[in-house]
């Protein structure tokens, strides 16, 4: 039989390999910005057109490349940053794999202009589909100017997978922020379709955080700073009152590299526990500096996942450093700093230290705080969701649903797919209260009698369900009426939020919000749904965005679904609000007209039922 194995041509091999590094325009943004940082640039400008689909261009004033290096830079495994395998464990640069430019050149049209400092002439290279089309001398500024055009022009299937411009731009902004946040002493700008979205002057980390996340944080940051021989940690955490519904503003950098780590995030959350409401997320921007030999950053091609030599010790440091910072700023005056001798037996602390070092390390406040019992290595294995399930089970002991009652429709589990909770409450069909007298308890619950007993309805959950179904109908062609504002309010957002809001405008319009972009990340609210009280439009819109970002973490929802849920939540009448008899009656009536009335869109129960016969039994009758 003939041999069947071929070696793939280089450009095809590059296209395949590019898939890991370059998934979307934002991946190229990350790689090109990191190259500029590695080149020692102090000013880095990013330009994108069409959310990077047409153009991603980075201009830096870094050290530039020689003619030969410029050509070499597009070869796979060509790097100036490491020479041998040992170097891999002493990495100080962002790049080291030598494959970013090769990948980009494999899936786009690239133009590079670069000149080394002191040279009179630079080099121009045009390369597409891994093939060099032009290479010639060029007059250019010192540094590098690289453009990636028409990403995936030669891989249409990939190009089709790209999301809407608004969504791709959001990814770009995320990557831009991650690099810009890590290097506050460098100038960064981002322009999209010729309009400057970010202009970040050099400054301190605190200034950079405020430039990016907004002025709201200016008096609300707590400085985190601890130094030991093992590692340093520094940065800022938001005071507890700034915690938001979304975890968007949380950044971890290890040796200046943005990383994603649920584990370290947990450490910070633990430090904040009891200080912030459940389901809310504190802002933090934390930098860990650690000997690179204690890390493996080559776990994933995008380098956003890393492995620590000893994760637990890092967890303990992070948690106690944050806790200590919060305590120092007397955010938590009652913290108890009890010492625990067991820390001295932790390998990572005791082994690399001389006695002298150990002595000085034990003097630091960090050492003292992270030795607190039950905190250093303690991870709550029982998630909140688990507790929820337990609660539901307990509640349902009272419900004792009898599914075989005549006339009872079968449990419609449509929502269970979205629900993290077990959907165990039977629907309220045929349980409609037969009396129109409703009692409101604790300004949160509506008590109503029905044929078989009585029901306790959670007013907010019920309203969320009603609104959700109303909005879903609106999307099917019955837009919510817009009430024009007499005095339109302006709303100013962070660049990232502005991009997000732009993406949502058409759907928001159907749902009753008439919002117009006003340039410079501001918008004007021209109209809002009739139920939103006059003067409250701005606040409601901000809350919707906040909640939307919260849902954004869950990729299983469509954009529209997330918006519907956010709005239903935002506009629902909150627990603690007095309802008149008439209002209760309307709410219960509307709840009955819903297709599903036993759960909120997110799967929380809407009501509990107490059966008369069960109650009788309990009273010995
Ligand atoms: N903006 C730039 N200024 C100067 N030199 C650059 C620039 N961009 C790339 N280079 C040079 O080209 C080489 C290849 O870049 P490339 O991004 O492909 O690989 P890398 O940065 O070494 O590793 P990684 O694939 O992990 O990013 C770099 O090692 C560097 O020497
Ligand atoms: Mg690189």
């Amino acid at each position: 039989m003939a041999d069947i194995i071929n070696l793939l041509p280089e450009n095809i091999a590059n296209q395949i390999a590019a898939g890991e590094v370059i998934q979307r325009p934002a991946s190229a943004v990350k790689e090109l910005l990191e190259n500029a940082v590695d080149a020692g640039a102090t000013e880095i400008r990013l330009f994108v057109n069409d959310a990077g689909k047409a153009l991603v261009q980075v201009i830096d004033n870094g050290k530039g490349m020689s003619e030969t290096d410029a050509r070499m830079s597009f070869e796979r495994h060509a790097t100036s940053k490491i020479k041998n395998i040992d170097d891999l464990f002493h990495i100080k640069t962002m790049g080291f794999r030598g494959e970013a430019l090769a990948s980009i050149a494999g899936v786009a049209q690239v133009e590079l202009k670069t000149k080394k400092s002191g040279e009179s002439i630079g080099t121009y290279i045009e390369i597409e589909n891994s093939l060099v089309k032009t290479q010639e001398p060029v007059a250019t500024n010192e540094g590098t100017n690289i453009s990636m055009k028409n990403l995936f022009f030669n891989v249409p299937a990939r190009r089709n997978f790209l999301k809407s411009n608004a969504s791709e731009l959001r990814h770009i902004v995320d990557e831009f922020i991650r690099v810009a946040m890590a290097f506050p002493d460098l100038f960064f700008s981002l322009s999209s379709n010729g309009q400057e979205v970010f202009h970040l002057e050099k400054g301190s980390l605190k200034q950079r955080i405020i430039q990016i996340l907004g002025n709201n944080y200016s008096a609300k940051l707590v400085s985190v700073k601890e130094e030991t021989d093992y590692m340093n940690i520094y940065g800022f955490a938001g005071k507890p009152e700034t915690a938001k519904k979304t975890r968007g503003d949380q950044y971890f950098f290890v040796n200046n590299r943005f990383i994603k780590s649920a584990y370290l995030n947990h450490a910070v959350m633990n430090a904040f526990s009891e200080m912030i409401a459940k389901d809310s997320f504190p802002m933090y921007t934390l930098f860990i500096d650690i000997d690179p030999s204690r890390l493996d950053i080559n776990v994933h091609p995008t380098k956003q996942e890393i492995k620590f030599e000893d994760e637990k010790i890092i967890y303990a440091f992070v948690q106690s450093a944050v806790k200590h910072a919060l305590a120092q700023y007397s955010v938590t005056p009652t913290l108890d700093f009890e010492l625990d001798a067991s820390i001295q037996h932790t390998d990572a602390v005791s082994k690399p230290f001389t006695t002298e070092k150990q002595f000085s390390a034990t003097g630091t406040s960090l050492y003292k705080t992270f030795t607190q019992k039950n905190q250093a290595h303690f991870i709550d294995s029982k998630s909140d969701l688990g507790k929820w399930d337990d609660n539901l089970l307990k509640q349902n002991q009272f419900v004792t649903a009898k599914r075989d009652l005549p006339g009872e429709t079968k449990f419609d589990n449509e929502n269970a797919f979205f629900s993290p909770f077990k959907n165990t409450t039977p629907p309220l069909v045929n349980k409609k209260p037969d009396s129109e007298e409703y009692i409101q308890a604790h300004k949160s619950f509506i008590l109503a009698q029905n044929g078989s007993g009585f029901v306790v309805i959670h007013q907010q959950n019920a309203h969320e369900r009603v609104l959700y179904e109303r909005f879903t109908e609106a999307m099917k062609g019955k837009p919510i009426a817009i009430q024009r504002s007499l005095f339109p309010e302006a709303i100013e957002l962070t660049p990232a939020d502005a991009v997000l809001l732009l993406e949502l405008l058409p759907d928001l319009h159907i749902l009753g919000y008439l919002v117009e972009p006003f340039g410079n990340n501001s918008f004007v609210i021209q109209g809002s749904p009739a139920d939103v009280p006059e003067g409250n439009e701005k606040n409601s819109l901000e809350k919707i965005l906040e909640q939307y970002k919260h849902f954004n973490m869950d990729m299983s929802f469509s954009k529209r679904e997330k918006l519907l849920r956010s709005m239903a939540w935002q506009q629902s009448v909150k627990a603690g609000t007095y309802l008149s008899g008439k209002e209760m009656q309307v709410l219960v009536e509307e709840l009955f007209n819903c297709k599903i009335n036993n759960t909120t869109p997110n799967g929380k129960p809407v009501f509990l039922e107490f059966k008369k016969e069960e109650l009788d039994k309990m009273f010995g009758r």
Side-chain angles (χ1 to χ4, degrees), residues 31 34-35 38 81 95-96 100 303:
E31 295 300 335
E34 289 187 349
N35 280 351
D38 283 346
K81 299 170 191 174
F96 59 85
K303 314 179 189 96

Side-chain angles (χ1 to χ4, degrees), residues 149-432:
K149 294 182 178 165
N150 302 320
L151 177 61
F152 299 140
F153 80 101
N154 53 349
V155 206
R158 278 246 175 93
R159 198 167 167 93
N160 293 339
F161 267 103
L162 294 179
K163 298 265 169 53
S164 69
N165 278 8
S167 154
E168 293 298 344
L169 189 57
R170 199 148 41 77
H171 286 289
I172 288 176
V173 168
D174 284 347
E175 294 294 355
F176 174 84
I177 288 179
R178 289 165 184 177
V179 180
M181 196 70 109
F183 299 94
D185 49 345
L186 309 183
F187 167 88
F188 285 91
S189 70
L190 161 56
S191 303
S192 167
N193 293 335
Q195 218 195 352
E196 195 171 64
V197 187
F198 282 93
H199 183 98
L200 308 175
E201 293 294 349
K202 304 167 193 181
S204 65
L205 174 60
K206 191 170 185 177
Q207 286 167 329
R208 181 64 42 105
I209 291 176
I210 291 165
Q211 284 171 331
I212 293 177
L213 301 181
N215 247 330
N216 300 350
Y217 283 114
S218 64
K220 308 260 160 118
L221 296 175
V222 167
S223 159
V224 178
K225 189 168 173 61
E226 298 286 353
E227 294 182 357
T228 68
D229 286 343
Y230 189 77
M231 61 178 269
N232 297 335
I233 177 167
Y234 64 94
F236 292 90
K239 290 189 177 165
E241 69 260 29
T242 63
K244 290 189 179 171
K245 274 227 154 239
T246 141
R247 73 168 84 236
D249 300 340
Q250 301 187 330
Y251 301 89
F252 255 115
F253 299 88
V254 173
N255 296 347
N256 276 341
R257 189 186 299 284
F258 171 82
I259 58 146
K260 292 178 179 161
S261 167
Y263 186 70
L264 293 188
N265 173 62
H266 191 280
V268 181
M269 293 303 277
N270 236 342
F272 268 92
S273 64
E274 316 270 296
M275 282 183 245
I276 52 173
K278 255 193 179 173
D279 305 332
S280 69
F281 301 93
M283 170 271 163
Y284 60 79
T285 301
L286 295 174
F287 290 77
I288 291 173
D289 281 351
I290 185 166
D291 181 346
S293 66
R294 297 193 188 280
L295 298 174
D296 186 355
I297 39 182
N298 200 18
V299 183
H300 191 266
T302 64
K303 314 179 189 96
Q304 288 188 348
E305 284 164 39
I306 59 175
K307 267 207 178 92
F308 293 102
E309 179 191 69
D310 187 336
E311 268 200 322
K312 284 185 181 153
I313 201 101
I314 311 272
Y315 184 100
F317 269 91
V318 169
Q319 190 200 38
S320 42
V322 175
K323 231 176 169 152
H324 184 236
L326 293 171
Q328 256 187 342
Y329 283 74
S330 61
V331 176
T332 56
T334 56
L335 273 187
D336 150 32
F337 294 103
E338 199 184 294
L339 277 181
D340 179 350
S342 66
I343 192 66
Q344 277 150 5
H345 307 302
T346 317
D347 276 0
V349 165
S350 57
K351 274 192 184 157
F353 286 13
T354 60
T355 329
E356 193 187 303
K357 275 182 179 171
Q358 215 169 29
F359 180 75
S360 73
T362 51
T364 66
S365 54
L366 178 59
Y367 174 84
K368 288 177 190 150
T369 55
F370 92 87
T371 51
Q372 287 176 87
K373 224 194 226 159
N374 293 339
Q375 286 177 353
H377 298 187
F378 174 70
I379 294 185
D380 188 0
S381 61
K382 212 165 181 217
S383 71
D384 290 349
L385 295 186
K387 281 176 202 150
W388 245 101
D389 266 356
D390 284 352
N391 284 344
L392 276 182
L393 279 177
K394 272 182 223 144
Q395 288 162 5
N396 280 297
Q397 289 168 358
F398 292 104
V399 176
T400 54
K402 284 199 176 142
R403 298 282 162 81
D404 50 358
L405 278 182
E408 178 134 1
T409 19
K410 222 175 144 275
F411 182 29
D412 181 352
N413 211 8
E414 182 187 313
N415 263 0
F417 172 72
F418 295 108
S419 166
F421 314 117
K422 268 189 216 126
N423 199 339
T424 38
T425 325
L428 197 52
V429 181
N430 289 346
K431 303 229 170 81
K432 182 172 174 177

